């Protein structure tokens, strides 16, 4: 009898712990799984040669646009260069799991708080905030079998990955951090949107076909 | 056979060198006067352009192309058509970048760096470099078909964006053939990043609608 009394409380607690990303799809934690980072496919997976994106940064009422170039420097190390339309570099960073190098950065952006946000964002996007093998909580909704979720304790806090369709391991959505540090990345066909809702900061990347 | 190949290689190398070698202009004052006169006679320019942005870290370059418009005084527009549409408009003290329907307007008078950058780009693309001011050192060279003006910023603020600008002017009409903006060398790199604009199909002094340069 006691367990029937406790069950509703348990469900409420479990639902409360479910990350917002999965709660929206009514997904529930199912089990704990071991994952190899290389088996998940974020949008920036194929960077054997440089890829170029049109980039738009919206911060509150201000907007800035340019071009973002991404490449893989070596295994686990990525380089990103953002420049204006007419070619002036805005920033140039190298990021790996254990380092973040500012090769150049325009003065207005060269501030610790801005660099910290960008470092964290790029680490999440390239999945450099998790070790090669990691444990995750597996989320699912039997009504939506094509969607699966992984909740991970990353280096920089809770990080959630939404995969669709099941079997492709294509990462559609990443959510990282909470409150003011919350970042939500959505990967569409050729568009990546990185959103910090509390900071009113949005970065939209559209892949350019060369 | 081996000797022939070596000679051929040497001949090709010397030919390449002779094509690239540009000699200093002997009478700079005369050239400046001619350039100033030519610039005074140009009220508008329309042309096609290609832009090549070389990023050393990427190991390749990104190419764009579009239409270039210049209208005296102080109005410049770069209308990018490929690989995607975007606009860069300079009109008086204002500078506008437009991409994906979003406009970013800057007031150059309130942002000295943007103002200086606008001045350099506008002066170089229109070929009207006589009034660039004392913040730049100009060196003049000549080769077969072009004059080459090497523009070196003197102030540290501008040097952060451009280490040097190479401007190639057509000897016949002093119009800009090519402009290469070389960035300072970055940490851990052996090659400078640069942006190179090449202008073709130029039409001088043809009516350009004012509406092209509207910023709002």
């Amino acid at each position: 009898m006691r367990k029937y009394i406790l069950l509703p409380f348990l469900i409420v607690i479990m639902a409360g712990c479910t990350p917002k990303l999965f709660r929206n799809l009514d997904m529930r934690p199912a089990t704990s799984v071991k994952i190899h980072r290389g088996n998940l496919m974020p949008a920036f997976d194929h960077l054997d040669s440089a890829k170029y994106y049109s980039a738009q940064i919206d911060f509150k009422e201000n907007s800035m646009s340019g071009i973002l170039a991404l490449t893989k420097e070596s295994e686990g190390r990525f380089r990103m260069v953002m420049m204006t339309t007419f070619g002036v570099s805005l920033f140039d960073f190298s990021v790996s799991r254990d380092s973040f190098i500012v090769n150049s950065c325009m003065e207005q952006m060269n501030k610790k708080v801005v660099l910290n946000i960008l470092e964290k964002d790029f680490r999440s996007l390239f999945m450099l905030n998790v070790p090669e093998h990691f444990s995750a909580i597996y989320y699912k909704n039997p009504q939506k079998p094509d969607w699966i979720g992984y909740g991970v304790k990353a280096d920089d806090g809770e990080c959630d990955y939404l995969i669709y369709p099941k079997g492709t391991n294509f990462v559609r959505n990443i959510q990282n951090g909470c409150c003011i540090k919350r970042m939500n990345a959505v990967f569409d066909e050729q568009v990546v949107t990185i959103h910090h809702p509390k900071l009113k900061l949005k970065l939209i990347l559209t892949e350019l076909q060369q | 056979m081996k000797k022939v190949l070596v000679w051929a290689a040497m001949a090709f190398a010397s030919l390449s060198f002779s094509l690239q070698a540009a000699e200093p202009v002997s009478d700079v004052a005369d050239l400046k006067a001619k350039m100033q006169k030519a610039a005074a006679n140009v009220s508008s320019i329309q042309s096609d352009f290609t832009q090549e942005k070389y990023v050393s870290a990427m190991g390749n370059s990104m190419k764009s192309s579009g239409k270039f418009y210049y209208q005296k005084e102080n109005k410049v527009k770069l209308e990018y058509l490929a690989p995607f549409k975007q606009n860069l408009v300079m009109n008086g003290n204002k500078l506008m970048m437009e991409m994906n329907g979003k406009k970013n307007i800057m007031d150059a008078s309130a942002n000295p760096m943007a103002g200086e950058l606008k001045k350099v780009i506008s002066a170089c693309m229109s070929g009207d470099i006589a009034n660039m001011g004392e913040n730049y050192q100009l060196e003049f060279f000549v080769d077969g078909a072009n004059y080459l003006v090497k523009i070196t910023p003197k102030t540290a603020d501008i040097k952060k964006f451009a280490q040097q600008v190479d401007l190639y002017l057509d000897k016949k009409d002093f119009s800009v053939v090519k402009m290469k903006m070389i960035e300072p060398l970055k940490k851990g790199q052996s090659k400078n990043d640069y942006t190179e604009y090449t202008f073709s199909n130029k039409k001088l002094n043809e009516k350009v609608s004012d509406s092209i340069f509207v910023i709002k």
Side-chain angles (χ1 to χ4, degrees):
Chain A
M1 180 64 187
R2 188 190 285 171
K3 71 179 174 188
Y4 292 112
I5 296 167
L6 285 175
L7 196 63
F9 292 106
L10 214 62
I11 290 168
V12 169
I13 290 166
M14 291 281 277
C17 293
T18 302
K20 197 178 172 189
L21 182 64
F22 306 138
R23 227 182 301 153
N24 293 344
L25 286 163
D26 213 11
M27 297 166 91
R28 297 273 186 271
T31 179
S32 177
V33 289
K34 296 270 183 204
I35 297 175
H36 180 233
R37 190 174 60 199
N39 288 341
L40 292 183
M41 279 180 53
F44 306 121
D45 193 52
H46 304 291
L47 281 176
D48 297 329
S49 62
K51 267 189 182 179
Y52 292 86
Y53 296 82
S54 77
Q56 185 184 308
I57 300 175
D58 295 333
F59 179 58
K60 294 180 181 169
E61 273 76 48
N62 302 310
S63 181
M64 187 169 83
S65 55
I67 293 157
L68 183 77
L70 297 176
T71 194
K72 191 193 268 184
E73 284 191 310
S74 57
E75 205 48 52
R77 174 176 287 278
F78 298 89
R79 182 93 173 235
M80 58 234 59
V81 180
M82 184 158 172
M83 58 207 114
T84 61
T85 304
F86 49 95
V88 173
S89 290
L90 299 175
F91 64 70
D92 180 347
F93 305 137
S94 298
V95 66
S96 68
R97 186 146 188 251
D98 49 17
S99 74
F100 182 74
I101 300 166
V102 179
N103 300 302
S104 75
C105 185
M106 67 185 290
E107 217 166 275
Q108 289 90 330
M109 286 182 76
N110 204 351
K111 294 179 171 55
K112 205 174 171 191
V113 61
V114 179
L115 296 179
N116 281 347
I117 290 170
L118 291 170
E119 176 181 355
K120 200 166 150 49
D121 283 1
F122 285 121
R123 280 232 168 83
S124 298
L125 295 175
F126 292 119
M127 295 191 70
L128 295 169
N129 57 348
V130 288
E132 205 174 332
H133 296 272
F134 57 94
S135 299
I137 298 173
Y138 175 66
Y139 287 83
K140 67 173 185 177
N141 175 356
Q143 306 300 317
K144 294 177 177 139
D146 272 346
W147 291 90
I148 57 170
Y150 295 118
V152 182
K153 287 246 177 297
D155 297 345
D156 48 4
E158 183 75 31
C159 196
D160 304 307
Y161 301 96
L162 192 63
I163 315 294
Y164 176 86
K166 187 181 178 181
T168 60
N169 279 345
F170 186 74
V171 179
R172 291 282 174 177
N173 203 314
I174 298 176
Q175 197 160 285
N176 193 353
C178 62
C179 305
I180 200 152
K181 288 182 177 174
R182 171 171 289 169
M183 183 276 281
N184 189 20
V186 180
F187 302 89
D188 230 324
E189 286 301 307
Q190 281 163 343
V191 181
V192 181
T193 309
I194 300 139
H195 192 198
H196 290 267
K198 298 281 180 191
L199 295 173
K200 294 184 178 163
L201 173 67
K202 197 186 256 187
L203 173 62
I204 303 163
L205 306 175
T206 309
E207 191 181 337
L208 298 172
Q209 303 297 330
Q210 285 284 291
Chain B
M1 181 64 187
K2 209 174 181 180
K3 271 186 182 172
V4 175
L5 283 174
V6 171
W7 276 107
M10 282 173 70
F12 180 74
S14 69
L15 180 66
S16 308
F17 180 74
S18 68
L19 284 174
Q20 285 170 4
E23 290 182 1
V25 168
S26 52
D27 191 346
V28 171
D30 178 57
L31 177 62
K32 275 185 175 176
K34 282 179 183 164
M35 282 171 65
Q36 212 156 355
K37 193 179 167 195
N41 288 331
V42 173
S43 57
S44 72
I45 306 171
Q46 296 176 63
S47 76
D48 296 333
F49 77 90
T50 58
Q51 178 185 317
E52 183 188 350
K53 170 74 189 172
Y54 173 76
V55 185
S56 168
M58 300 296 138
N60 61 15
S61 54
M62 193 203 154
K63 288 176 181 139
S64 331
S65 60
K67 297 270 181 199
F68 167 75
Y69 303 93
Y70 164 74
Q71 175 82 52
K72 220 173 213 173
E73 294 282 333
N74 247 339
K75 291 174 189 165
V76 172
K77 179 171 184 175
L78 288 166
E79 183 183 7
Y80 292 80
L81 299 170
F84 59 100
K85 289 185 179 180
Q86 56 178 333
N87 291 314
L88 170 70
V89 185
M90 302 175 199
N91 190 342
N93 273 331
K94 288 195 172 165
L95 190 151
M96 179 180 81
M97 282 178 271
E98 186 182 10
M99 188 190 266
N100 301 329
K102 286 242 176 185
K103 292 175 181 174
N104 183 21
I105 299 171
M106 271 190 277
D107 187 347
S109 55
N111 185 338
M113 246 351 281
E116 202 57 42
L117 208 57
K118 184 187 111 14
K119 192 166 96 179
V120 175
I121 292 173
S122 171
C124 289
M125 287 184 174
S126 64
D128 190 6
I129 55 170
N131 302 316
M132 281 188 70
E134 291 174 354
N135 288 337
Y136 304 90
Q137 183 194 329
L138 308 182
E139 293 171 278
F140 298 85
F141 299 86
V142 62
D143 72 3
N146 301 317
Y147 287 113
L148 162 62
V149 187
K150 284 186 186 286
I151 303 166
T152 312
K154 289 181 189 169
T155 61
D157 275 355
I158 308 165
K159 277 183 180 172
K160 281 179 200 162
F161 293 96
Q163 179 182 295
Q164 186 180 302
V165 180
D166 287 351
L167 197 62
Y168 294 82
L169 304 168
D170 192 320
K171 260 172 130 178
K172 285 182 288 195
D173 58 9
F174 296 95
S175 64
V176 179
V177 177
K178 196 163 76 174
M179 171 186 158
K180 186 174 181 178
M181 196 160 70
I182 302 162
E183 290 186 43
L185 204 57
K186 288 178 193 164
K187 208 185 277 180
Q189 273 183 211
S190 57
K191 281 185 180 174
N192 297 69
D193 293 354
Y194 65 82
T195 310
E196 189 173 276
Y197 295 89
T198 308
F199 300 90
S200 59
N201 301 327
K202 277 170 277 184
K203 291 177 197 161
L204 303 180
N205 298 330
E206 286 190 11
K207 175 78 184 150
V208 182
S209 168
D210 273 349
S211 62
I212 283 180
F213 306 101
V214 169
I215 293 180
K216 63 176 181 184

